[in-house]
Amino acid sequence: MKRLEDIHQLVKDGMASLDWNIAPNGLYDPIAYVLSMGGKRLRPALVLLACQLFDERIEKALYPALGFEVYHNFTLLHDDVMDKADMRRGKPTVHKKWDENTAILSGDAMIIKAYQLLAKCDASVFKSVFDAFSEAALGVCEGQQYDMEFESRTDVKLTEYLEMIRLKTAVLLAGALKAGALCGGASEKDADLIYKYGIGIGIAFQIKDDLLDVYGDEKKFGKAIGGDIFCNKKTFLLITALEKADESSRKELMAWIAKEQFDRAEKVKAVTAIYDKLDVRTDAEKAMREYYESAITALDMIAVSKTVKQPLYDLAENLLYRED
Amino acid sequence: MKRLEDIHQLVKDGMASLDWNIAPNGLYDPIAYVLSMGGKRLRPALVLLACQLFDERIEKALYPALGFEVYHNFTLLHDDVMDKADMRRGKPTVHKKWDENTAILSGDAMIIKAYQLLAKCDASVFKSVFDAFSEAALGVCEGQQYDMEFESRTDVKLTEYLEMIRLKTAVLLAGALKAGALCGGASEKDADLIYKYGIGIGIAFQIKDDLLDVYGDEKKFGKAIGGDIFCNKKTFLLITALEKADESSRKELMAWIAKEQFDRAEKVKAVTAIYDKLDVRTDAEKAMREYYESAITALDMIAVSKTVKQPLYDLAENLLYRED
């Protein structure tokens, strides 16, 4: 059985083995660049961990794992264009380093490349792996659409928000797990259970992100606190605050959202104070824990030994207690 | 055996049967809009025609056919963003009617949707159909990359140009034919032959496009003559002219290319006069005919009756003599 560290090494070596030095370089260099930026490599690790539950020969899931990572990085690339983000992980984004057309086209090519990597699995499971991937991939687009629509709304309901993050974040994690399980020969029932585990940790993961943005430790978080508050991002905290607020808090919150000229630190401090007063942090932590528990329940039900499932228990816990 | 008209009707009904009225509408409405604009529906027709060579039950190739059409329309959608084109087929483009982010994201979703349609074929041929599609889809991106790079160059060689149009136009036609043949149960050898036929008609088709832009009948062509000349598009005609030109013609041509302020009609007239003097029209027509002949040779070699191949002979001839 492989431990988390071994899995991460396998993913790292796999990513490094992909050859992007092909013509036309104008198309493939930006892909190599995006993929060289690093990141948690969470999705490919999930594919391999899920495969391992059912089959020790996890190499058979390696290329599908890389396919999920390439797809995830495609979403970051196009999201950065749509958000007009200048930097990612401390480096200029592709549309800044090259141009927007390059970012669009190289992203398109990444989708196809992701599918081609995915197809390098056993022929017997390809169709089911393909279906799991396509459903997840489309879900991410739908989630991104909702996310963009939410930008211009201040009446987003918590249920809408949860559906958005399910699509934008959780379904790709869940799809990665399901694909890995299928590569390992899982039954449909077990594949569905691992999918549920993925949805649970995915939503918990995003709520944790929302919490870290406000209540994280700036040094450990790696970016400035309050970024979501600064740009009025509809997070679990903001939506809950708007739902819970009395007349005067609501007015104050709406005033900060509407303000076009402001001091960043002042806004972050004021909005955080409202969050504290309404105690939305507790709501978020409670919801996060519930999704975490639902993930654990699904994982418990998968008919394999506790030992082989241990890395997935650990991973869920790490997500809950992470500080970046 | 189905005739061309029957095939086109099947495609039309198939396209109409796709349901895009799904949430989030902000993502799927633009897809429905793009697909409602019409077009020749050449690629799905090719899928069905190729299937018919090997199996009369062409319904089995219908969804893959629609997948190719959805993918083709995705390329138009993203190309329009990259070209900053305001209109297509007399209607505002998606990024004009909605916005650029919508055009990017809806296009992304179309790629996944195309794959999902493709997957609705017999399980026994899915992997080979998938491979044919993916290779073609990636080729289109590579061709678009070369096309964009050519915009800022004046030293594009004819061989580079032919490789670009092979990728940007021909491989998707060829891939559509190959996928259709595979759905019909073709041997690998026959699938490769129909692919070659597709490359031949694809390149001939693009050279014809270049010719129509300059020598077409404006009324029949459906758009203003000289569009390529106007924006210095590197076409078969321009590249051949630059290669053949003596010192003075070359200088004149380069001056027109460099000019930022000019009268459109005057430029079109002057550049056409240079083309005429150098007789590049004859070169283009000769090359077009050679690619046409190579297509016919490949089609001849496919081991099925002449009768069942007749629509593909007709289609190649129509492409050669078309006026729009």
Side-chain angles (χ1 to χ4, degrees):
Chain A
M1 199 193 99
K2 296 246 180 348
R3 289 148 172 271
L4 252 181
E5 309 86 74
D6 308 324
I7 297 274
H8 279 299
Q9 191 58 47
L10 263 175
V11 168
K12 203 180 162 185
D13 295 344
M15 291 302 289
S17 76
L18 299 178
D19 181 15
W20 301 104
N21 187 19
I22 37 181
N25 293 106
L27 183 68
Y28 293 111
D29 283 351
I31 299 178
Y33 175 76
V34 171
L35 295 175
S36 74
M37 284 181 174
K40 292 190 183 64
R41 306 293 193 216
L42 179 56
R43 289 146 197 87
L46 291 175
V47 174
L48 297 181
L49 286 167
C51 178
Q52 178 168 256
L53 296 185
F54 307 98
D55 193 333
E56 285 223 334
R57 294 164 297 165
I58 61 173
E59 347 39 272
K60 56 163 63 167
L62 181 60
Y63 284 107
L66 304 180
F68 271 90
E69 184 63 12
V70 169
Y71 188 80
H72 171 60
N73 279 272
F74 140 73
T75 67
L76 301 181
L77 172 51
H78 274 197
D79 280 9
D80 283 341
V81 175
M82 293 185 245
D83 296 344
K84 306 201 183 305
D86 292 352
M87 304 287 283
R88 170 165 301 269
R89 295 179 186 135
K91 285 185 169 178
T93 48
V94 169
H95 65 276
K96 279 284 155 187
K97 194 174 158 76
W98 283 270
D99 55 40
E100 208 174 287
N101 286 355
T102 301
I104 295 172
L105 190 60
S106 293
D108 295 343
M110 285 174 88
I111 304 180
I112 316 288
K113 277 285 183 185
Y115 268 110
Q116 288 184 320
L117 287 165
L118 198 79
K120 289 186 175 192
C121 62
D122 284 356
S124 61
V125 296
F126 175 48
K127 179 58 165 54
S128 56
V129 168
F130 170 95
D131 286 339
F133 176 80
S134 295
E135 192 194 325
L138 198 59
V140 176
C141 294
E142 293 175 351
Q144 169 69 1
Q145 175 67 29
Y146 284 121
D147 199 15
M148 294 198 306
E149 289 175 9
F150 289 179
E151 279 172 31
S152 54
R153 289 177 50 191
T154 52
D155 62 344
V156 178
K157 293 195 194 79
L158 195 62
T159 50
E160 289 180 292
Y161 174 76
L162 291 168
E163 173 63 2
M164 184 276 281
I165 62 174
R166 185 184 73 81
L167 289 165
K168 188 167 171 170
T169 304
V171 297
L172 196 62
L173 302 180
L177 287 156
K178 186 173 179 180
L182 292 166
C183 286
S187 69
E188 208 173 307
K189 194 185 158 207
D190 282 340
D192 286 342
L193 284 169
I194 196 95
Y195 186 88
K196 272 186 195 135
Y197 162 84
I199 294 294
I201 62 163
I203 297 179
F205 180 86
Q206 185 57 52
I207 298 175
K208 178 76 187 182
D209 240 29
D210 292 355
L211 280 161
L212 284 172
D213 182 74
V214 179
Y215 298 108
D217 179 328
E218 196 147 309
K219 275 178 222 145
K220 292 175 187 160
F221 189 43
K223 46 186 176 179
I225 292 298
D228 292 346
I229 293 176
F230 173 72
C231 62
N232 298 328
K233 191 154 198 283
K234 308 301 176 311
T235 67
F236 192 103
L237 298 167
L238 178 54
I239 292 164
T240 309
L242 284 167
E243 285 191 354
K244 280 177 95 178
D246 53 53
E247 193 58 30
S248 89
S249 297
R250 191 187 157 76
K251 234 173 157 175
E252 200 188 337
L253 210 41
M254 292 299 281
W256 276 112
I257 290 173
K259 218 171 247 184
E260 298 205 343
Q261 299 266 326
F262 55 82
D263 178 74
R264 178 181 164 129
E266 198 189 336
K267 177 173 176 177
V268 171
K269 200 179 153 194
V271 172
T272 304
I274 302 171
Y275 287 174
D276 288 343
K277 198 175 73 182
L278 299 168
D279 199 18
V280 291
R281 179 178 186 168
T282 301
D283 296 302
E285 283 172 346
K286 187 165 164 277
M288 180 178 71
R289 188 157 289 280
E290 280 169 13
Y291 283 104
Y292 166 82
E293 297 293 351
S294 76
I296 298 305
T297 304
L299 187 55
D300 287 340
M301 288 170 70
I302 296 175
V304 298
S305 78
K306 194 110 183 169
T307 319
V308 76
K309 286 190 278 188
Q310 197 53 48
L312 288 167
Y313 286 109
D314 295 345
L315 189 132
E317 210 178 300
N318 291 347
L319 288 180
L320 212 63
Y321 296 108
R322 75 197 161 95
E323 300 192 275
D324 70 331
Chain B
M1 199 193 98
K2 295 248 182 344
R3 289 148 172 273
L4 253 181
E5 308 87 72
D6 309 324
I7 298 274
H8 279 299
Q9 191 57 47
L10 264 174
V11 168
K12 202 179 162 186
D13 295 345
M15 291 301 291
S17 77
L18 298 177
D19 181 15
W20 301 105
N21 187 20
I22 38 182
N25 294 105
L27 184 68
Y28 293 111
D29 283 351
I31 299 178
Y33 175 75
V34 170
L35 295 175
S36 74
M37 284 180 173
K40 293 191 181 65
R41 306 293 192 216
L42 179 55
R43 289 146 199 87
L46 291 175
V47 174
L48 298 181
L49 286 168
C51 178
Q52 179 169 256
L53 296 185
F54 307 98
D55 193 332
E56 285 224 333
R57 294 163 298 164
I58 62 173
E59 342 46 91
K60 56 163 63 166
L62 181 61
Y63 285 108
L66 304 180
F68 271 89
E69 184 63 12
V70 169
Y71 187 81
H72 170 60
N73 280 269
F74 141 73
T75 67
L76 301 181
L77 173 50
H78 274 197
D79 280 9
D80 283 341
V81 175
M82 295 185 244
D83 296 344
K84 306 200 182 306
D86 292 353
M87 304 287 282
R88 172 167 298 271
R89 295 181 186 136
K91 284 183 168 180
T93 47
V94 169
H95 65 275
K96 279 285 155 184
K97 194 173 159 78
W98 284 271
D99 54 40
E100 208 173 288
N101 286 355
T102 301
I104 294 172
L105 189 61
S106 293
D108 294 343
M110 285 174 88
I111 304 181
I112 317 288
K113 276 286 182 183
Y115 268 110
Q116 288 183 320
L117 287 165
L118 199 78
K120 290 187 174 190
C121 61
D122 284 356
S124 60
V125 296
F126 174 48
K127 180 58 166 55
S128 56
V129 167
F130 171 95
D131 286 339
F133 175 80
S134 295
E135 193 195 324
L138 198 59
V140 175
C141 295
E142 294 176 348
Q144 169 69 1
Q145 176 67 29
Y146 284 121
D147 199 16
M148 293 197 308
E149 289 176 7
F150 289 179
E151 278 172 31
S152 55
R153 288 177 52 191
T154 52
D155 63 344
V156 179
K157 292 196 195 78
L158 195 62
T159 50
E160 290 181 291
Y161 174 75
L162 291 169
E163 173 63 2
M164 184 276 281
I165 62 174
R166 185 184 74 83
L167 289 165
K168 186 166 172 171
T169 305
V171 297
L172 196 62
L173 303 180
L177 287 156
K178 186 174 179 180
L182 292 167
C183 286
S187 69
E188 210 174 304
K189 194 185 157 206
D190 282 339
D192 286 342
L193 284 169
I194 196 96
Y195 186 87
K196 274 188 193 134
Y197 162 84
I199 295 294
I201 61 164
I203 298 179
F205 180 85
Q206 186 55 54
I207 299 175
K208 179 77 187 183
D209 242 29
D210 293 356
L211 280 162
L212 284 172
D213 182 74
V214 180
Y215 297 108
D217 179 328
E218 197 147 307
K219 274 177 221 145
K220 292 175 185 157
F221 189 44
K223 46 187 175 179
I225 291 299
D228 293 344
I229 293 176
F230 173 72
C231 61
N232 299 328
K233 192 155 198 286
K234 305 304 175 310
T235 65
F236 192 103
L237 298 169
L238 177 54
I239 292 163
T240 309
L242 284 167
E243 285 191 352
K244 281 178 91 177
D246 54 57
E247 194 56 33
S248 89
S249 297
R250 191 185 157 80
K251 234 171 156 175
E252 200 189 336
L253 211 41
M254 293 298 282
W256 276 112
I257 290 173
K259 217 171 247 183
E260 299 205 342
Q261 299 265 330
F262 55 82
D263 178 75
R264 178 183 163 128
E266 198 189 335
K267 176 173 176 177
V268 171
K269 200 178 152 193
V271 172
T272 305
I274 301 171
Y275 288 173
D276 288 344
K277 197 175 74 181
L278 298 168
D279 199 19
V280 292
R281 179 179 185 168
T282 301
D283 295 302
E285 284 173 345
K286 187 164 164 276
M288 178 179 74
R289 187 157 289 277
E290 280 169 11
Y291 283 104
Y292 167 82
E293 297 294 350
S294 75
I296 297 304
T297 303
L299 187 55
D300 286 342
M301 288 170 70
I302 295 175
V304 299
S305 78
K306 194 107 184 173
T307 319
V308 75
K309 287 191 278 189
Q310 197 53 48
L312 288 168
Y313 285 109
D314 295 344
L315 189 132
E317 209 180 300
N318 291 348
L319 288 180
L320 211 63
Y321 295 108
R322 74 198 162 95
E323 302 192 276
D324 70 329

